[in-house]
Amino acid sequence: MAVTLKQIAELAGVSRGTVDRALYNRGRINPEVAERIRSIAKELGYQPNRAGKALAMAKHPIKIGVIAQATETPFMHLLQAGIEDARKEVSNFGAEVLMRSMIGLDIDLQLKLIDELVEEGINGLAIAPADDVRMRNRINELVDSGIPVVTFNADIDDTRRLCFVGQNSELAGRACAALLSAIIGNKGLVLPISGHQYNHSHTLRIKGFCSEMENCFPEVKLLPSVFCQDDDTLTQQLTEQTLRDHPDLTAIYVAAGGQSGVCRGLARLGCTGSVRVICYDLIPNNIKNLLNSRIDFLIDQDAHTQGYQPIMILFDYLFAGTKPESKYFYTDIAIKNKYNI
Amino acid sequence: MAVTLKQIAELAGVSRGTVDRALYNRGRINPEVAERIRSIAKELGYQPNRAGKALAMAKHPIKIGVIAQATETPFMHLLQAGIEDARKEVSNFGAEVLMRSMIGLDIDLQLKLIDELVEEGINGLAIAPADDVRMRNRINELVDSGIPVVTFNADIDDTRRLCFVGQNSELAGRACAALLSAIIGNKGLVLPISGHQYNHSHTLRIKGFCSEMENCFPEVKLLPSVFCQDDDTLTQQLTEQTLRDHPDLTAIYVAAGGQSGVCRGLARLGCTGSVRVICYDLIPNNIKNLLNSRIDFLIDQDAHTQGYQPIMILFDYLFAGTKPESKYFYTDIAIKNKYNI
DNA sequence: TTGAAAGCGATACCAT
DNA sequence: ATGGTATCGCTTTCAA
């Protein structure tokens, strides 16, 4: 059995309360005694028992606030399942998860929800933030007031947030470039499709993709990337137009939503199977198109982990003082074909 | 806050002891009272608190035995890290992990270690078993005597084990076929390399690969698969010989160990980069060869999960009675290039 | 500055 | 058949 507070107390000839004060620097203790206790604990390799700790904290539960966005999208459904799993897990340790969400993304609403959660007394916040200077400032305020913040899915640089959980979008773009280049024999003509100009991850996916292509696979020619507003109809039009303008098109790289439109466009012009398609996210429509060979590869960014981990990171930090090893918790860049979904 | 035994007891007008007996069918209770208590618990959605349960069980800790094999290999090092992580986690819940391991694989030693662990009073066993009829019988004996068994990395069919944690090797082979076919333009000449004749996973990886190629990519020609005994020197010889016999070789599929030999053979004959290579496992040598482009893609089978999950599955079963959802816990068939390691 | 004790949720044993 | 109580490891008051 592992060593307990009680054993340390007996060895040190003091009470458990004193050991507790010593190990957690709660003050009101003789510094020499504290030092002696700490050295004994260290020697014995004391590790606090999580179950005992959890039970004792049941009277003052940790409250973790979560603010999600765009909950109407299939990707966010998967992410929310991760949040729910984490909620269940930490609830066994006397922690509560206060979840707020919104359709689409509204910076003012997000700021209001933060105030609301602070009002309710949260001890930590996980948020998929809007990229805005007001949000940046608010996050720093929170951290300064002792409420740690973890960003997920979307990050805000230059804040004192504890960490970010999500994909390394630029690297994902590079992985796609190498993969796509490999399956077209390292030459051909490729159309990169982005979503919104202000969507940071789309931009990075395109940037990583294009720079990798240009640097490492110069025989692959890139058309100028286009914006599709994550819209199926628009991607279909863009696809068909591009095919008419460039009958020698080899592949399409979709860094955004609207993937189904690409498949439809290719199908309408009889190019399914001859033009390669790589896109993102293991969502139902994409899975369908992967299985019927309209999409060659999908890049998954593990939505579940993006919901699950922020809460677990905050919990470990608040519960046991564990700081994340890095400020970036990058989710797997998973390459999926129809066999390894 | 979640509902507790105490609350149920008060509502039912009985003591906590009685509620406990009712919910866990411990007997010595009036059936009608038990029924009433159960219905109240159900209505309130009672979920036992894991922390409380853990603490109470500290007096009679759960003992989980683990028997690993081939611990000298880099793959098994990764797997053992998973075992260690699981051990740490369950030790907070008053559970102990008794680990036994061996170099290579020795059926007699495994049987002896099982006896030893049973002697020590284990409540459950995780094992990477030798495929032998004596092992099959012993596993069934254990299960019959009330000790649940989880197999990992290697499975034994037709036993009453709780579940298997590891890769679906045949499916992995299929995934490789599709991937390899894609990067050679769906045509060419491919050499499949297996390891040992009696290694079940190698056989399945080859079987899945070849059958998928033949069915779905008939323009890819397959050389007869060869056995390399997981040996670098042998794979190098086989590679060089094949290249001399078939200068038009397009790709090599390595389902076994000895991957470095393949890379060396290709390098020696100046074929690095022109002959594609796909092999298994994210181990240091392979990572190196992936990064310097001697290997095109690696298939990872998540060694960490193969060590971590068996213990967690046994723990959840013994601790909370949770049965795994399926008898097969397949680890991810992860496709890795140099960007998503 | 320190000790003693109550309590968190569940289990198990001893009384009744 | 049922109730009462000690206990697990830890936190947090309340006394001293």
Side-chain angles (χ1 to χ4, degrees), chain B residues 24-36:
Chain B
Y24 293 99
N25 308 304
R26 299 194 208 276
R28 302 184 308 157
I29 187 174
N30 182 329
E32 290 165 29
V33 177
E35 189 43 54
R36 192 161 54 88

Side-chain angles (χ1 to χ4, degrees), chain B residues 159-174:
Chain B
T159 54
R160 286 190 287 289
R161 56 153 179 66
L162 199 55
C163 113
F164 162 68
V165 178
Q167 197 170 49
N168 182 335
S169 302
E170 188 174 347
L171 189 58
R174 292 185 188 283

Side-chain angles (χ1 to χ4, degrees), chain A residues 169-203:
Chain A
S169 302
E170 188 173 347
L171 189 58
R174 291 185 188 283
C176 284
L179 177 62
L180 184 54
S181 180
I183 64 175
I184 59 178
N186 300 313
K187 61 179 188 298
L189 183 66
V190 177
L191 171 69
I193 300 182
S194 186
H196 289 278
Q197 231 155 343
Y198 59 79
N199 184 314
H200 203 44
S201 353
H202 294 174
T203 307

